[in-house]
Amino acid sequence: MGSISILRKIGSIACHCRGESIFINKIVQEISGYVQPCRMENNLIGIESRINELNSLLGTEATHEVRMVGICGMGGIGKTTIARALFRRISYEYDGSSFVKGVRENSKKGICSLQQQILKDVLATHHESLIEDPEDGAELIQTRFCNKKVLLVLDDVDDVKQLWFLAATHEWFGAGSRIIITTRNEHLLSDTNAKYKPALLNKEHAVELFSRHAFGRNSPLEGYEELSNRVIRYTGGLPLSLKVLGSFFRKREARVWESALNRLAKTPNMEIFETLKLSFDGLEASEKKIFLDIACFYKGHNVERVTRVLDSFGFDPVIGISALIEKSLITVSNERIHMHDVLQEMGMEIVRKCYPNSRLWQNEFHDFIKKNEKLGAIEAIVSTHVDEDMSDENTGFSADVFENMKNLRLLDICGGFTSCKPTTLPDELRWLRWDEYPFSSLSVANLQKLVGLIMIGGEIEHLLMGDKVMPYMKLIDLRDSFSFRRLPDFSWTPNVERLILSNCCNLVEVHESLGSLRRLVYLDMSGCDNLKCLPSRIEMESLETLSLSYCYSLEEFPEVSPCMVKLSNINLDGCENVKNIPNSICELKNLQTLHLYDCMKLRTLPEELGSMKKLEEIRLGFKDHVKGFERQPESINFHTLTNLCCLRILDLSWRQIEDEDFFNNLHACSFLEELYLSGNSKLVQLPASISRVSRLKRLELNDCRQLQSCQALPSGIQVLKAHNCKALKKIDDLTVEYMWLYKIWLTGCKELLENQENERCLSKMLQQSFLEKCAVIDRRLSISIPGSKIPSWFKEQRHGSAVAFKLPPNYHTRIMGFTVCGVLRGKWKSEYNPTSIFLSIENNGKLIPESEVDCINAFTENTSVQIVYIPVSFLEQHMDDEYGLGDGSLIVEGSRFITISIQCDQEVVRCGAHVVYKEDVEWIQQPETCISDCRNLDQVQRFGNTLVYKDEVSYMYE
């Protein structure tokens, strides 16, 4: 704005204002709006979107209320930078403002000085109020600001007492005031109106920020591209690391970069280290131990399992892990613990400097142990990797290696750690994991403090437990121990909670004491091929899950005691020789799931089964391999099932049901959501009662060869699978009658094309408008029907299984999802091999040339068209982003080249792709009500820049 324009503005204000102070304030506000100090913001990469996100949380348009907003995140992520940038931009709108930097550090000198700064800044006075007591200062702030519109930023708060004396409540400030608090501890923001967590920089912004500091430009110099990428991968998108390392590498030769990168792999940069260590220094003692154990051993591990291990040491991990999350030192997603690489390196460096030799990991401890006799400092050894290039002579320790490790609490090793069976283990050991144990026996008689014993695989035949009670033992896991033959007397471990013996295929007998483990919560003996019998009666009053699946030799299921009130899951899948289920099972009033899949000789169900009011899931079906049996399994008393009022999932696949009463009473299962009837050769038409099963969401009818009609389904149906129903002649218009249907599989139903009305119904499923109805509510869509042509609205098409194309500029802000279409040829082989769709989004790529193939011009019996729509929101919600820069985003600005391919049992003759944008569906009215999706069986995996979407993974592999 020019000087003349400013003078005119001043004159205009003067004409309308009376009073000197009002006149001056008006001038300041008007001019400030045109000269906002944005110069420094130009150097802040990606700052604009962050400012906008924070500003929207502030809700500055709501002038009648006071709002407090917190910015939380790990050190170095840019909390202060974002707050300062927004402060500069909007502070002129307030009666007074103050940016209090470094509250954590400066409050050590006394909170009164910070109170004085706030009063001086907001009141715009040179006179400093003399405050000697924090209570007096708090009262003064409240008194002077309660009628004032204030903008206050409290930067780097680390103690709730600081908030008590600087900005305790909303009532301290006048209408329209905004208070911004930055902290590494999310727990301190419990009373704020909103929280903002800045994301790590995506790759494009990371490259630009690093290049600005390293080269003084927006991209790396020629010849430094790969070196720059190595640095950026090291930083993981953390702004602080990018700035510090960019400045360090500036004007240095490539050979210096190589040397420095090698050093960084061993020792972190000290400036970054000291900044991040502030978060560690503020932890409680037990929280520090948890953080260091995670950094050294458990990054990327399952949070429940890690909690179990840490609890064995008395670290109180439930509250401890929660505190680490609040302080932005770890995150938990997809049930795994994640930690930024830079934080992990900081933790390892703290161990090296402050707690030397307390934690030893991987193979770096071999020389240390062999060269040192004083091993008392060692608390934990974790080495899950065995270097096969090294001989036992170099890697295997002597049998008495653990004798001097008096303080060893955690031992997690693999294979031939010792050259012969260890003579002793430390008395203080709490957690012992030794996978692929190479010896036939192990004595744990002296380990009175042992909590967890895990020995997966290996040659162990029996445990030597001695005759002393092991009161702390909670977990025994011997899965895949093929040589293990018999269980010991469990009287010596009365408090064990989890016992896992899966795939101990030579286990023949179990001790009778097993049936009396009162504290046992989880028992898994699945895959014990030679196990013939269990204790005749089980009285495990704490047991919740019992898995005996694929115990092929098991002939009888034991009687169960009524005291087992907590048992909710029983899995007997594949127990081919079990003929009967005892009536005592009906005493299990809290049983929720009963799996009897592939129980070939099962003839009857307990007559009182219908009295089990909490039973939600029954699997009584067979795999499709039963088709090859000359004699189909006999029917059983299915009528008992219709009395199960809470039943949600019922699987009767490949059972030949003749019980008319069962079908006629199906509507009695009023909570039924999933029904599996595949392979029923006697089913000619669906019973009328099925339309009254109002909550039914999934119906599977694959290989019902006599089924002729599939009509009058419940209105809320979402998944309909009817592969290879060769006699099927009639279907409803599934695109109109059933608005929530998103998965329709009708391949191999060739009779449908003999009727023009059915053919019209099939064609409507391939219309773009049907897809867009799913896209507008962010719902997946999967259609597989007879046919041989990809619809013309798929602009991107190629012969073969893959198609590649460029995306338009700025697509990432508008995209909703990807649609893939394939023409498939060949018989449908198995529902257990889902269609996989690969999506790769990159900065650079190449188009796929058109190839010569045997094109399909007419319908053949084994040809189908499959359309899959995948919303971006679904991909980002379900992918485990361990390979990206940590922002959890698939769509990255600047990545414009996409390749999509299909992989499945059939030959993919032709492939097409279509991108759905927000503007494509803006005209579609969203439904007023919404039904939650059927249980999700789709799967998303990420490998670098490639996502793999699996369309329906069978529950057999969950």
Side-chain angles (χ1 to χ4, degrees):
M1 188 177 185
S3 56
I4 295 177
S5 299
I6 293 176
L7 290 172
R8 287 174 178 169
K9 178 63 69 174
I10 292 173
S12 175
I13 295 169
C15 293
H16 294 86
C17 293
R18 295 179 182 176
E20 183 178 340
S21 61
I22 299 176
F23 174 67
I24 293 173
N25 284 335
K26 276 286 186 180
I27 293 175
V28 170
Q29 289 179 15
E30 287 290 339
I31 295 178
S32 297
Y34 293 97
V35 292
Q36 296 172 30
C38 298
R39 186 182 70 260
M40 294 185 67
E41 295 172 20
N42 294 331
N43 286 321
L44 303 178
I45 310 303
I47 194 68
E48 195 64 34
S49 60
R50 287 163 163 73
I51 288 177
N52 291 338
E53 289 168 358
L54 178 59
N55 200 24
S56 67
L57 294 177
L58 283 177
T60 52
E61 70 283 351
T63 57
H64 62 285
E65 64 181 35
V66 177
R67 288 182 67 83
M68 292 185 175
V69 174
I71 310 177
C72 54
M74 64 183 289
I77 203 167
K79 303 181 294 294
T80 302
T81 302
I82 297 167
R84 186 178 290 281
L86 182 60
F87 179 83
R88 287 197 187 103
R89 186 171 294 192
I90 67 172
S91 58
Y92 75 93
E93 300 175 3
Y94 294 82
D95 298 338
S97 61
S98 179
F99 190 104
V100 185
K101 186 179 180 181
V103 172
R104 172 189 53 78
E105 187 65 27
N106 291 319
S107 62
K108 294 176 183 177
K109 305 171 187 175
I111 203 75
C112 295
S113 62
L114 298 182
Q115 293 173 329
Q116 289 175 182
Q117 178 191 337
I118 293 171
L119 287 164
K120 180 181 177 182
D121 290 347
V122 173
L123 299 176
T125 176
H126 295 292
H127 172 72
E128 291 191 11
S129 303
L130 182 61
I131 302 173
E132 296 181 349
D133 184 283
E135 295 284 355
D136 294 339
E139 185 177 352
L140 189 57
I141 290 175
Q142 182 178 9
T143 303
R144 300 299 299 271
F145 295 171
C146 63
N147 293 312
K148 213 171 186 62
K149 182 182 176 183
V150 173
L151 175 63
L152 175 62
V153 176
L154 301 176
D155 175 55
D156 195 18
V157 174
D158 74 336
D159 193 319
V160 69
K161 292 179 181 179
Q162 295 158 3
L163 295 178
W164 290 349
F165 294 119
L166 299 179
T169 69
H170 293 64
E171 286 71 26
W172 282 23
F173 305 96
S177 292
R178 296 296 182 264
I179 292 83
I180 300 173
I181 303 163
T182 80
T183 180
R184 303 185 187 196
N185 188 352
E186 185 179 354
H187 185 67
L188 297 178
L189 305 177
S190 55
D191 292 330
T192 59
N193 299 95
K195 301 172 190 175
Y196 176 56
K197 298 180 180 180
L200 293 163
L201 294 180
N202 61 41
K203 186 173 182 180
E204 181 187 19
H205 287 153
V207 169
E208 187 174 351
L209 180 60
F210 175 76
S211 299
R212 288 271 187 96
H213 289 269
F215 308 109
R217 45 184 278 177
N218 291 344
S219 59
L221 291 174
E222 185 177 352
Y224 284 81
E225 294 88 352
E226 181 52 36
L227 288 168
S228 297
N229 284 332
R230 285 175 61 186
V231 179
I232 290 164
R233 283 195 296 270
Y234 170 84
T235 66
L238 185 66
L240 170 68
S241 299
L242 290 161
K243 293 176 184 177
V244 171
L245 294 180
S247 299
F248 172 79
F249 284 116
R250 190 176 181 90
K251 295 184 178 180
R252 294 184 187 267
E253 297 178 3
R255 61 185 182 85
V256 178
W257 284 54
E258 288 282 0
S259 177
L261 284 167
N262 292 334
R263 188 177 70 183
L264 277 174
K266 303 172 186 176
T267 307
N269 177 277
M270 291 311 298
E271 183 178 346
I272 300 171
F273 175 85
E274 292 298 336
T275 301
L276 297 178
K277 188 173 178 290
L278 293 172
S279 296
F280 175 82
D281 293 337
L283 297 176
E284 300 291 337
S286 61
E287 294 167 1
K288 288 180 177 179
K289 294 176 181 178
I290 292 172
F291 174 80
L292 295 179
D293 275 3
I294 291 174
C296 295
F297 309 133
Y298 296 123
K299 176 185 172 183
H301 286 233
N302 178 275
V303 65
E304 182 182 350
R305 294 172 189 164
V306 174
T307 300
R308 200 174 292 130
V309 177
L310 297 173
D311 188 53
S312 72
F313 311 135
F315 288 173
D316 300 317
V318 174
I319 184 64
I321 288 176
S322 176
L324 296 184
I325 293 172
E326 289 172 348
K327 294 171 183 177
S328 305
L329 290 169
I330 64 172
T331 59
V332 175
S333 62
N334 296 324
E335 300 180 353
R336 293 187 176 275
I337 296 177
H338 302 284
M339 177 184 285
H340 194 282
D341 289 346
V342 177
L343 286 172
Q344 182 184 31
E345 289 201 8
M346 177 194 75
M348 291 178 169
E349 187 66 13
I350 290 172
V351 170
R352 294 187 189 104
K353 288 185 173 183
C354 306
Y355 310 94
N357 307 319
S358 63
R359 295 164 178 82
L360 306 178
W361 54 90
Q362 296 311 334
N363 290 323
E364 65 181 47
F365 54 77
H366 280 279
D367 288 341
F368 173 78
I369 292 177
K370 286 194 171 184
K371 294 177 181 178
N372 288 270
E373 294 181 0
K374 296 181 179 180
L375 303 175
I378 301 176
E379 295 181 26
I381 299 175
V382 176
S383 178
T384 56
H385 171 70
V386 176
D387 192 340
E388 297 179 356
D389 295 332
M390 298 181 70
S391 64
D392 287 343
E393 182 180 353
N394 293 325
T395 60
F397 297 109
S398 61
D400 62 351
V401 63
F402 300 112
E403 189 170 336
N404 294 322
M405 299 184 189
K406 303 299 184 182
N407 293 304
L408 189 68
R409 58 179 168 85
L410 167 63
L411 179 62
D412 188 342
I413 54 179
C414 184
F417 186 85
T418 56
S419 55
C420 53
K421 187 173 73 173
T423 54
T424 184
L425 290 165
D427 295 348
E428 292 296 316
L429 200 59
R430 306 294 181 91
W431 199 267
L432 170 58
R433 177 166 184 165
W434 196 330
D435 291 350
E436 300 176 26
Y437 182 74
F439 313 111
S440 61
S441 64
L442 176 70
S443 175
V444 293
N446 68 308
L447 302 181
Q448 303 305 300
K449 296 181 180 180
L450 195 65
V451 177
L453 174 63
I454 303 101
M455 303 179 75
I456 299 175
E459 303 298 326
I460 191 164
E461 295 180 11
H462 52 275
L463 285 173
L464 305 175
M465 301 186 73
D467 57 359
K468 292 183 179 179
V469 173
M470 304 178 71
Y472 301 106
M473 181 75 81
K474 291 185 178 181
L475 167 67
I476 299 176
D477 185 350
L478 302 174
R479 75 183 78 180
D480 300 327
S481 297
F482 301 138
S483 300
F484 197 69
R485 296 183 178 278
R486 61 181 182 274
L487 286 179
D489 185 348
F490 283 101
S491 301
W492 310 116
T493 58
N495 297 317
V496 67
E497 296 177 357
R498 297 177 68 85
L499 180 58
I500 304 172
L501 301 164
S502 54
N503 298 322
C504 292
C505 55
N506 285 308
L507 182 64
V508 176
E509 59 180 295
V510 298
H511 196 275
E512 193 71 19
S513 60
L514 174 67
S516 302
L517 290 174
R518 301 284 181 174
R519 300 288 182 88
L520 195 65
V521 174
Y522 182 90
L523 175 58
D524 184 357
M525 301 181 72
S526 56
C528 294
D529 299 356
N530 291 303
L531 183 65
K532 291 186 177 181
C533 61
L534 293 167
S536 57
R537 182 178 174 84
I538 53 177
E539 298 178 299
M540 306 173 182
E541 58 191 43
S542 299
L543 192 67
E544 297 176 5
T545 297
L546 173 60
S547 181
L548 298 167
S549 58
Y550 302 100
C551 292
Y552 298 118
S553 301
L554 189 66
E555 296 179 353
E556 292 187 11
F557 185 80
E559 294 287 335
V560 295
S561 167
C563 76
M564 298 177 63
V565 293
K566 294 183 179 180
L567 187 57
S568 58
N569 306 291
I570 295 178
N571 190 338
L572 296 172
D573 287 345
C575 292
E576 296 178 349
N577 287 302
V578 172
K579 296 179 181 178
N580 300 296
I581 303 298
N583 288 324
S584 60
I585 200 174
C586 299
E587 298 292 327
L588 304 174
K589 299 303 182 183
N590 289 305
L591 191 67
Q592 295 178 3
T593 65
L594 178 59
H595 283 207
L596 298 164
Y597 210 78
D598 273 355
C599 290
M600 300 299 302
K601 295 184 179 180
L602 185 66
R603 294 292 175 264
T604 60
L605 295 172
E607 285 295 328
E608 298 299 319
L609 195 67
S611 66
M612 303 182 73
K613 301 302 182 185
K614 294 189 177 180
L615 195 58
E616 297 182 1
E617 180 177 342
I618 296 183
R619 306 281 188 182
L620 284 165
F622 298 99
K623 288 182 182 176
D624 54 5
H625 67 246
V626 177
K627 290 185 289 186
F629 285 23
E630 294 181 2
R631 180 172 172 271
Q632 291 284 353
E634 295 178 7
S635 184
I636 55 179
N637 48 335
F638 294 112
H639 64 273
T640 61
L641 303 177
T642 56
N643 295 324
L644 295 168
C645 58
C646 289
L647 195 65
R648 292 190 309 106
I649 300 174
L650 177 59
D651 189 337
L652 300 172
S653 303
W654 297 94
R655 288 279 184 183
Q656 306 310 307
I657 305 174
E658 300 181 63
D659 191 340
E660 292 297 327
D661 290 338
F662 165 75
F663 276 128
N664 290 335
N665 294 326
L666 192 60
H667 62 281
C669 301
S670 56
F671 282 84
L672 194 64
E673 295 181 2
E674 300 180 31
L675 179 59
Y676 301 83
L677 297 172
S678 296
N680 191 330
S681 61
K682 301 181 183 299
L683 187 65
V684 177
Q685 61 181 12
L686 295 177
S689 63
I690 200 168
S691 64
R692 288 179 282 163
V693 187
S694 59
R695 302 193 185 203
L696 191 66
K697 295 180 179 180
R698 173 187 286 272
L699 178 61
E700 295 203 9
L701 303 164
N702 303 318
D703 286 293
C704 290
R705 301 301 177 93
Q706 302 301 318
L707 183 66
Q708 297 181 11
S709 173
C710 185
Q711 296 176 299
L713 300 173
S715 60
I717 193 77
Q718 295 181 2
V719 177
L720 175 62
K721 296 172 68 174
H723 282 299
N724 292 341
C725 293
K726 297 188 178 299
L728 188 62
K729 298 178 179 178
K730 295 180 181 179
I731 59 171
D732 287 329
D733 185 345
L734 300 175
T735 65
V736 175
E737 302 293 333
Y738 308 101
M739 66 178 297
W740 302 107
L741 192 58
Y742 68 86
K743 201 171 291 261
I744 309 167
W745 292 3
L746 298 170
T747 54
C749 302
K750 62 177 182 178
E751 289 291 325
L752 288 177
L753 294 179
E754 301 299 322
N755 179 288
Q756 287 187 349
E757 183 61 31
N758 289 334
E759 196 169 1
R760 279 195 294 271
C761 290
L762 293 176
S763 296
K764 291 177 72 174
M765 295 182 204
L766 302 180
Q767 292 178 2
Q768 189 172 358
S769 57
F770 183 49
L771 158 72
E772 290 172 344
K773 286 182 180 179
C774 285
V776 76
I777 55 175
D778 239 16
R779 176 167 295 215
R780 290 156 290 147
L781 178 65
S782 177
I783 301 170
S784 189
I785 61 176
S788 60
K789 289 185 66 176
I790 294 177
S792 59
W793 52 271
F794 281 88
K795 302 301 181 185
E796 305 291 344
Q797 296 191 30
R798 284 290 186 278
H799 294 319
S801 62
V803 60
F805 54 95
K806 286 185 178 180
L807 292 161
N810 300 320
Y811 75 94
H812 58 283
T813 61
R814 302 182 288 124
I815 194 168
M816 293 197 68
F818 302 97
T819 314
V820 188
C821 183
V823 175
L824 314 180
R825 179 166 54 191
K827 289 186 177 181
W828 172 67
K829 296 177 183 177
S830 170
E831 66 178 298
Y832 306 120
N833 293 321
T835 296
S836 296
I837 296 171
F838 294 75
L839 300 99
S840 297
I841 303 178
E842 302 174 283
N843 291 324
N844 300 299
K846 59 181 180 179
L847 298 176
I848 298 172
E850 189 71 50
S851 59
E852 294 289 334
V853 299
D854 179 16
C855 295
I856 298 173
N857 296 314
F859 170 76
T860 62
E861 180 177 350
N862 295 321
T863 306
S864 61
V865 175
Q866 185 169 24
I867 290 180
V868 177
Y869 171 69
I870 319 166
V872 166
S873 60
F874 181 86
L875 291 172
E876 295 186 342
Q877 179 184 354
H878 290 85
M879 69 182 176
D880 193 351
D881 187 21
E882 293 186 31
Y883 298 92
L885 284 176
D887 60 0
S889 176
L890 164 68
I891 306 302
V892 178
E893 186 177 355
S895 300
R896 289 187 53 195
F897 200 92
I898 182 167
T899 302
I900 299 177
S901 60
I902 302 174
Q903 182 179 340
C904 58
D905 278 345
Q906 300 93 341
E907 176 191 4
V908 183
V909 179
R910 191 166 175 82
C911 178
H914 174 77
V915 181
V916 178
Y917 295 97
K918 293 177 182 177
E919 56 263 32
D920 298 332
V921 297
E922 287 175 345
W923 59 276
I924 301 175
Q925 185 175 358
Q926 294 198 18
E928 295 180 0
T929 59
C930 186
I931 300 177
S932 61
D933 270 7
C934 184
R935 185 170 54 106
N936 177 42
L937 296 178
D938 298 354
Q939 189 181 87
V940 181
Q941 294 174 297
R942 182 168 189 166
F943 304 95
N945 287 331
T946 299
L947 280 185
V948 181
Y949 172 83
K950 293 187 177 181
D951 187 9
E952 190 94 352
V953 179
S954 169
Y955 66 83
M956 293 298 294
Y957 298 98
E958 288 182 65

